[in-house]
Amino acid sequence: MTGVANGAAPGSRDIFRLAWPMTLKAIFLHGTVVIDGWMVSSLGEVALAAMGIAAALGGIVLGAIFAFSHAMQIRTAQLYGGRDPVHLKSVLASGLILSMGIGLLGIAILLIFGGTFINLLAENEAVAGGAWSYLSIFTIVLAGEAIGQCVASYLNGCGRTKIPLIGYCISVPINVIASYGLIHGLWGLPAMGVAGAALGSAFGITTQTSFLASQLLRQDSYLRRISGWQKGTLGRTLARHVQFSLPIAATFISATLATHICTLIYANMALPAFAAMTLIAPWNMVAGQISMQWTQASGILVAQLLGNRTPEAMLSAFLSIVWRGAFIAAGIVALVFLIMGLTLNQIYPDLSDETRAILLTFIPLMILVQPFRATNAVCGNTLRASGDTIYVMHIFVWSQWAFRVPLTALFVLYFDLPAVLILSLIFWEEIVKFLPFHRRLWRGAWQHANVLD
C-alpha cells in the first residue's frame, strides 16, 4: 500500500506484497478441501461421493458468504483510499451485520431442507448417510466463516493481508491433524469417517475466527470511538452497503450456484467419472488462486487509487503491470497441473484405474484454460473496483445460466458424453466472456469513476 499512500504509482512489488498472503490464504482455504478429499479417498468412492454432495450443498451457503465478503473487500479498499475513519467504521459494521445475517439464514435452510436434497441426489443410502453427517457438522464452519471472511476482507481492503494469512497458518494444521485423526480413529479419537473431515474443519475455523477477531479488536478498536456514519445513520449506511454489495455478491453467488448445480448434475454420471470430477474441482480452485489472487490484489489497489483520485496516466501504467503479472501467474498455474498429471499415481494411489485415467484426460484442458481465465479476471476485478459492478454481473450470469449450466445438463443427462468433454465447458465459458470484458475495459470509463459516494 506504500504506492497509494505516498502518491506514487504502485508497481509489481506493491501488488505482490498484497497478493502473496492472499494467495497462500486462499490455497489454505481451498487446500483443506483437497486434503479432505485426499484423506477421504482412502475410504473409497462412496465416501468421496458423500463428501461431494455435502460439499456442493454447504458450498452454496459458503459461496454466498464469500460473495458478500468480496464486495466488502472492494468497498473497504475504495473507502480506505479516501482516508476517512467514519467510512471505515461504517463499512466494517455494515459488513459484519450483513455477513452474519447471511450465515445464519443459510444454516437454517440447510438444517431444515438439507436432508431432503441429499436423499434426492444420493445414489444409495450409504452415500446419503455420509453426506448428511458431513453437512450437519459443516454448519459450524459456515458460522465461523460468516464472521471470519468479513473481518479478513476488511483487513485485505486496508492492505493488511498478512493477518488473515497468519490466521490460516494457525488453523490449517489443527484442521488437518484433527480431520486425519477423526476420519481414521487415531490417537484415541473416534473413527467418524467422512464426518471426521467436517469436524476437523470446524475445529480449524473456530481457531481462525477467534484469532482474526482478536486482531481486529487490538488494531481497530479506535473505530468504536468514532462518531457518525457515512450516510448519517446506521440504517442508511447499511442500505448503501447492501446496494453496493448486491451486484458483486450476485455475481459470485451466481458462479457458486452454477458450479454446485453442475456438481449435482455430475452426480448422475458413472461413479468413477463423478469421483474424478469431485477430485479435480478443489485442485482447480486451489491452483487457480495463484492467478486469481494476483488480479484481486490488483483490484484492491485500483479501488484505493480511485478512492485517492489518482490521475488517468498513473492508472493506465499500473494496469500494464497487472497484465504482465497475470500472464506469469497463469503460466505457474499451468505448470502445477502439468506436475499433477505426471504424479497422479503417487497422489491418489488408492483410486481405481478408471478414475485415475479420467483425471489424466483433464490435465491438458486445465492447462489451456489458464491464460483466458487470468485475463478475464483482470478485467472483472478492475471494473468492479471502479463500481461498474452491474455490467460484470451480467457477463457472469449470462455465460453461466445461458451457456454452461444448460449445456452441462444436456451433456450429462441426455448425451452422456465423456467426462473431459463435460469439463471442457469451463474453457468455453471463458471464451464467451472474453470479448465483453475486454471491450468494456478498453473504453477506459473506469478510470474516471467516483467511488466515494
Side-chain angles (χ1 to χ4, degrees):
M1 267 312 305
T2 303
V4 177
N6 63 20
S12 57
R13 289 185 179 181
D14 297 285
I15 305 174
F16 184 74
R17 191 177 297 117
L18 290 183
W20 77 262
M22 293 170 61
T23 302
L24 290 181
K25 173 204 157 189
I27 289 174
F28 285 149
L29 171 63
H30 298 291
T32 55
V33 181
V34 175
I35 293 170
D36 284 351
W38 173 73
M39 291 187 289
V40 171
S41 67
S42 64
L43 302 178
E45 273 78 1
V46 170
L48 277 173
M51 191 180 75
I53 292 173
L57 292 173
I60 293 173
V61 179
L62 197 59
I65 293 170
F66 287 173
F68 280 93
S69 71
H70 189 79
M72 170 77 171
Q73 180 172 285
I74 296 173
R75 189 58 175 161
T76 301
Q78 291 176 339
L79 300 180
Y80 181 79
R83 298 295 193 274
D84 188 335
V86 174
H87 287 181
L88 289 180
K89 169 194 169 183
S90 298
V91 74
L92 179 58
S94 300
L96 283 171
I97 292 170
L98 184 59
S99 186
M100 288 189 291
I102 291 167
L104 291 174
L105 178 61
I107 290 170
I109 292 172
L110 288 179
L111 291 178
I112 295 171
F113 300 108
T116 301
F117 286 124
I118 287 172
N119 290 331
L120 290 173
L121 297 167
E123 183 174 327
N124 52 52
E125 290 184 4
V127 174
W132 175 248
S133 64
Y134 186 99
L135 183 62
S136 58
I137 297 172
F138 193 74
T139 56
I140 301 172
V141 176
L142 297 176
E145 291 287 15
I147 300 172
Q149 284 300 316
C150 181
V151 174
S153 294
Y154 169 81
L155 295 171
N156 286 342
C158 294
R160 289 176 272 168
T161 58
K162 291 182 181 178
I163 296 175
L165 172 61
I166 294 171
Y168 274 89
C169 288
I170 295 170
S171 66
V172 167
I174 295 173
N175 185 346
V176 173
I177 294 171
S179 294
Y180 190 72
L182 289 165
I183 289 171
H184 301 287
L186 303 177
W187 316 304
L189 297 172
M192 299 176 63
V194 69
L199 187 56
S201 297
F203 287 142
I205 195 61
T206 301
T207 303
Q208 172 207 308
T209 302
S210 299
F211 170 79
L212 291 175
S214 68
Q215 292 301 305
L216 181 67
L217 289 173
R218 186 175 68 85
Q219 298 188 25
D220 291 69
S221 59
Y222 75 94
L223 292 177
R224 292 181 295 179
R225 299 187 294 273
I226 301 297
S227 61
W229 299 96
Q230 182 190 6
K231 293 297 180 180
T233 66
L234 176 59
R236 287 199 292 268
T237 300
L238 178 59
R240 177 66 183 95
H241 185 84
V242 172
Q243 180 187 20
F244 175 84
S245 300
L246 277 177
I248 299 174
T251 302
F252 282 84
I253 290 172
S254 173
T256 300
L257 284 173
T259 297
H260 288 292
I261 286 175
C262 287
T263 300
L264 297 177
I265 295 172
Y266 299 156
N268 293 274
M269 301 167 68
L271 194 57
F274 180 46
M277 287 290 203
T278 300
L279 289 173
I280 199 64
W283 277 96
N284 185 30
M285 290 295 297
V286 171
Q289 296 308 314
I290 296 172
S291 59
M292 289 301 101
Q293 296 305 318
W294 173 271
T295 61
Q296 285 199 23
S298 69
I300 289 173
L301 286 170
V302 168
Q304 292 180 346
L305 288 168
L306 290 171
N308 205 32
R309 305 187 187 279
T310 302
E312 180 179 333
M314 187 182 294
L315 290 170
S316 297
F318 174 68
L319 202 62
S320 297
I321 296 170
V322 173
W323 284 115
R324 291 194 294 271
F327 282 112
I328 294 172
I332 296 172
V333 178
L335 181 61
V336 170
F337 278 105
L338 177 61
I339 295 172
M340 178 192 177
L342 295 174
T343 59
L344 201 58
N345 291 341
Q346 289 73 36
I347 297 173
Y348 295 116
D350 298 314
L351 290 180
S352 67
D353 292 339
E354 185 177 0
T355 301
R356 279 201 303 271
I358 294 171
L359 274 173
L360 192 60
T361 65
F362 293 164
I363 302 303
L365 174 65
M366 301 312 299
I367 293 173
L368 181 62
V369 74
Q370 300 310 321
F372 297 96
R373 178 176 287 171
T375 188
N376 283 341
V378 170
C379 295
N381 281 293
T382 301
L383 293 172
R384 287 193 198 101
S386 70
D388 196 5
T389 56
I390 295 177
Y391 183 83
V392 174
M393 177 187 71
H394 278 292
I395 293 176
F396 275 93
V397 169
W398 287 108
S399 65
Q400 290 153 4
W401 297 102
F403 180 76
R404 179 159 61 97
V405 172
L407 285 182
T408 297
L410 195 65
F411 285 8
V412 173
L413 302 177
Y414 185 77
F415 291 114
D416 193 23
L417 294 180
V420 66
L421 294 181
I422 297 166
L423 189 66
S424 71
L425 290 174
I426 67 172
F427 168 77
W428 294 111
E429 181 186 0
E430 297 298 331
I431 299 300
V432 167
K433 293 187 292 189
F434 188 88
L435 182 59
F437 263 143
H438 288 73
R439 182 173 56 191
R440 187 74 160 196
L441 190 72
W442 289 336
R443 288 180 179 177
W446 64 273
Q447 297 173 326
H448 313 290
N450 177 20
V451 299
L452 297 180
D453 62 327

